[in-house]
Amino acid sequence: MRSISRTALFPLAALLGGCSSLPSLSDLSSVTGEKVLGLVTPYRVEVVQGNVLTKELVAKVKPGMPRAQVRDLIGSPLLTDVFHEDRWDYVFTIQRQGAAPQNRRVVAWFEGDKLKSLDVPNDLPAENDFVTAINTFRPTGPAPKLSLSEAERKALPTPPKTVLPAQEPIGAVRSYPPLEPRS
């Protein structure tokens, strides 16, 4: 009986001694950078809320436009308030793993049914800049070549010309008299 308890004590002592090298419980729950314990990257849900507004879209909206036309151009506002009927808030947020989170707010002010002004933040990106900012795909290797130089085009072999055999007419061959008399 004593030999069994001694053999069980040695692995237990080894396990307890190994616990001193493990991080504390508070370290386990916190995320350092992108990885937990420096080993595992947890999955994070992409959260996108609101309307993506770019410089190109906002440039189409002009003062004096009716509400319906503004809604058609830049979408329905994320926030409308019964107590502030002359204000539409377009809020956009995105949190994507591997990209910096983005928050933007555009406010449309109306007088009656017509757009009075549009409050646009200074950091509103162009469409290409926005796509670049949220793109987390990082290609490896050189970019593919998409066009040939003039010298490379001339070096290409010319495709062989295929001559199609003349086809014989199918069915009866008819000859019609001219519609107008010859003079």
Side-chain angles (χ1 to χ4, degrees):
M1 184 76 164
R2 283 187 169 179
S3 63
I4 294 175
S5 63
R6 285 183 187 166
T7 57
L9 281 176
F10 288 123
L12 184 62
L15 284 174
L16 290 175
C19 287
S20 65
S21 65
L22 289 176
S24 67
L25 185 59
S26 63
D27 292 339
L28 287 174
S29 62
S30 67
V31 177
T32 56
E34 288 291 318
K35 297 184 176 189
V36 175
L37 297 175
L39 300 173
V40 179
T41 304
Y43 175 74
R44 295 179 192 258
V45 178
E46 289 184 12
V47 179
V48 180
Q49 291 181 328
N51 304 27
V52 176
L53 295 181
T54 61
K55 288 181 181 178
E56 293 87 356
L57 283 174
V58 171
K60 293 178 183 178
V61 178
K62 306 288 183 210
M65 286 184 168
R67 289 179 190 250
Q69 191 173 5
V70 172
R71 181 177 279 127
D72 288 342
L73 288 173
I74 59 177
S76 297
L78 187 66
L79 298 171
T80 56
D81 188 359
V82 176
F83 299 109
H84 302 97
E85 290 182 352
D86 292 339
R87 176 182 173 150
W88 283 359
D89 288 287
Y90 290 88
V91 179
F92 173 73
T93 62
I94 184 169
Q95 294 178 354
R96 190 170 198 189
Q97 190 167 353
Q102 297 182 23
N103 297 315
R104 290 193 183 76
R105 170 179 244 131
V106 174
V107 180
W109 295 96
F110 292 92
E111 281 183 347
D113 188 44
K114 302 292 181 186
L115 180 68
K116 179 181 174 186
S117 66
L118 205 60
D119 294 343
V120 180
N122 293 334
D123 66 341
L124 194 68
E127 191 169 324
N128 288 337
D129 297 334
F130 173 73
V131 171
T132 303
I134 65 167
N135 186 9
T136 58
F137 174 71
R138 306 290 182 238
T140 58
K145 186 174 182 179
L146 300 177
S147 63
L148 296 175
S149 66
E150 197 60 40
E152 291 171 327
R153 277 193 206 137
K154 289 180 181 178
L156 291 174
T158 56
K161 294 186 178 187
T162 56
V163 179
L164 298 174
Q167 292 184 344
E168 294 183 20
I170 300 173
V173 177
R174 296 186 180 133
S175 170
Y176 294 100
L179 295 174
E180 296 178 5
R182 294 184 189 180
S183 48

